[in-house]
Amino acid sequence: MTMRDVLVVMPSVPAAARGDGFFLDIKMVEGLALYARLWGGPVRCVIRAGDPAQIAFGRDYAAADLPFEVAFIDPDATGIGALTRDAAVVLAAGDNHRDLPVPGLTDAPVVFIIEYTLKTRLRIIAIEQGRSLAALKNAVWTILTERRRRRAFAGSAGLQANGQPGYDAYRRSSPSILRYFDSRLTDDQQIAATALDAKQRAMRTGKPLRIVFSGRLETMKGADHLVRVAVELRRAGTPFTLDIYGDGVLRPAMQQAIVAAGLGDQVVLHGKVPFDAVLVPLMKERVDLFLCCHRQDDPSCTYLETLSCGVPIVGYDNAAFAGVLALGDVGIAVAMDDPAAAARAIAVLADDRGRLAAMADAAAAIGRDHSFERTFAARIDHLKAIAGR
């Protein structure tokens, strides 16, 4: 009889074989390495082959250097049965429609991960495609696929929901559900007490608020409203600087808007910078507030990673941000698509530095509670319980 002790993980991102190694997504490898450390048994990454160009943040890994096995399956996962005969549990991607048949293709218990809700999927289609025939077709397909998703969840052994929206949408669709908040900041990367104290002292001096945005410069991320918020802040006489880190299709238009508004001495587009080496230290040392005009409800890891740096957030009132604010007083949510409201909320904090400093304290505490290691430990405990380990 085969011993069932393997954790099988089916990531949503593709991979590519290269010689005696693989080209893999860096964040995926970091997560799988932690699974391997915490699971207490072998881990197998079962993944679909893809073009390396599809892997935005990837690099080459030698197979011998990976603490987990890598195996490839066909696009429709029909070969998953042979790769799960020794599986204690299978962790599949509920957002990937190609993983939805998995419970019927293996006799191992299957747990799905979910991030996007139907509402979020439809909103993304509307933002990206507007009122078009293609948008209508995609919306119909998305609604039909959602029925399959809920049936798959009902036939699974459990569900891990990243963020409050997914938990609220699917908690009745699975026999065992865990809510978590994704973050890639480790215990060692959390803001130290001395750095937090220095940040709070700087906040209380009354100097211009040091505001930051980081992420893709796209409409879905609300990047088109960042400069508009800055214009409203200047109109209100609120002292501030706004540093924007990231790249995307909106960057040229944003740069033109900065110049046209005469904001070049206060708003700076920096482009992409290394996350661990540059952005995280900068957030911990020189940032008072994060401006988040996200329009969609998906559970961006930006929220918890920002809090881990002791940085409060002012953002649009999407469901994901509302779930984060339910954890503690770490920011202010304003009406969607209202740059003037965001500017007013920032002005409130600029005038009440004691409140801003208290938010920084709460942010750091919540970030520590939801560090990379703690979050993965809770997820592994959930998988072990389902596997009966």
Side-chain angles (χ1 to χ4, degrees):
M1 181 176 178
T2 302
M3 182 178 179
R4 290 183 170 272
D5 62 347
V6 179
L7 168 61
V8 172
V9 182
M10 301 178 64
S12 58
V13 294
R18 284 186 171 177
D20 62 350
F22 309 98
F23 188 77
L24 303 173
D25 179 83
I26 294 170
K27 283 192 174 182
M28 181 194 79
V29 172
E30 291 173 349
L32 281 161
L34 193 51
Y35 280 133
R37 190 170 51 155
L38 297 174
W39 173 247
V43 173
R44 180 178 300 130
C45 171
V46 175
I47 197 164
R48 295 171 177 87
D51 185 341
Q54 298 176 286
I55 306 169
F57 302 100
R59 73 174 183 86
D60 286 298
Y61 294 88
D65 293 336
L66 295 172
F68 51 87
E69 176 190 352
V70 176
F72 288 92
I73 52 168
D74 59 88
D76 295 321
T78 52
I80 189 68
L83 292 169
T84 58
R85 291 194 182 106
D86 54 358
V89 65
V90 177
L91 186 61
D95 290 293
N96 186 343
H97 70 95
R98 289 176 169 174
D99 278 8
L100 298 181
V102 169
L105 300 174
T106 177
D107 60 358
V110 176
V111 175
F112 283 105
I113 301 171
I114 191 68
E115 295 189 355
Y116 288 77
T117 65
L118 176 61
K119 176 185 173 184
T120 298
R121 295 174 199 279
L122 294 176
R123 182 166 178 79
I124 290 172
I125 291 170
I127 291 172
E128 293 183 342
Q129 300 180 345
R131 296 176 180 270
S132 65
L133 180 59
L136 177 60
K137 290 180 177 178
N138 282 338
V140 170
W141 182 89
T142 298
I143 291 169
L144 294 175
T145 302
E146 181 68 11
R147 296 177 183 174
R148 293 176 51 217
R149 179 171 288 110
R150 288 184 178 272
R151 287 197 298 269
F153 289 177
S156 71
L159 185 66
Q160 296 189 351
N162 181 9
Q164 193 67 38
Y167 178 83
D168 289 340
Y170 297 109
R171 61 184 174 182
R172 294 183 179 87
S173 301
S174 175
S176 175
I177 185 166
L178 170 77
R179 182 198 65 174
Y180 70 96
F181 293 90
D182 194 24
S183 172
R184 292 293 160 158
L185 288 198
T186 64
D187 289 333
D188 290 342
Q189 288 178 300
Q190 305 297 309
I191 188 168
T194 52
L196 180 60
D197 183 61
K199 182 194 293 284
Q200 291 169 316
R201 287 200 307 272
M203 287 175 174
R204 292 189 176 98
T205 63
K207 292 180 180 178
L209 278 184
R210 302 168 296 180
I211 307 170
V212 155
F213 170 86
S214 68
R216 300 194 305 274
L217 303 186
E218 299 175 357
T219 302
M220 191 169 67
K221 296 293 186 181
D224 54 321
H225 279 189
L226 297 174
V227 180
R228 292 176 61 182
V229 174
V231 170
E232 295 291 339
L233 285 170
R234 186 179 62 181
R235 183 176 296 148
T238 302
F240 76 98
T241 59
L242 173 59
D243 292 285
I244 300 170
Y245 296 90
D247 208 348
V249 295
L250 295 181
R251 185 175 180 180
M254 292 171 66
Q255 186 61 59
Q256 291 175 4
I258 291 168
V259 173
L263 283 166
D265 59 337
Q266 290 177 279
V267 182
V268 179
L269 294 177
H270 295 273
K272 288 183 179 179
V273 297
F275 180 75
D276 289 321
V278 176
L279 188 60
V280 171
L282 181 149
M283 292 279 288
K284 289 191 285 191
E285 296 167 11
R286 300 197 299 275
V287 176
D288 301 317
L289 190 66
F290 192 96
L291 174 59
C292 187
C293 298
H294 288 191
R295 292 185 168 93
Q296 82 284 21
D297 292 331
D298 71 284
S300 171
C301 56
T302 294
Y303 294 116
L304 268 295
E305 290 167 354
T306 296
L307 300 186
S308 290
C309 296
V311 178
I313 303 169
V314 166
Y316 286 161
D317 190 18
N318 64 66
F321 186 34
V324 171
L325 289 179
L327 299 175
D329 185 18
V330 295
I332 300 175
V334 302
M336 186 70 66
D337 287 325
D338 192 341
R344 288 194 295 272
I346 293 170
V348 166
L349 295 177
D351 291 338
D352 190 348
R353 299 302 179 96
R355 181 182 177 190
L356 182 64
M359 285 182 172
D361 256 334
I366 290 170
R368 286 191 299 272
D369 288 343
H370 296 273
S371 70
F372 184 51
E373 293 94 341
R374 294 189 186 195
T375 298
F376 267 75
R379 294 178 63 193
I380 286 290
D381 286 345
H382 181 240
L383 294 175
K384 286 180 177 179
I386 288 173
R389 288 170 61 90

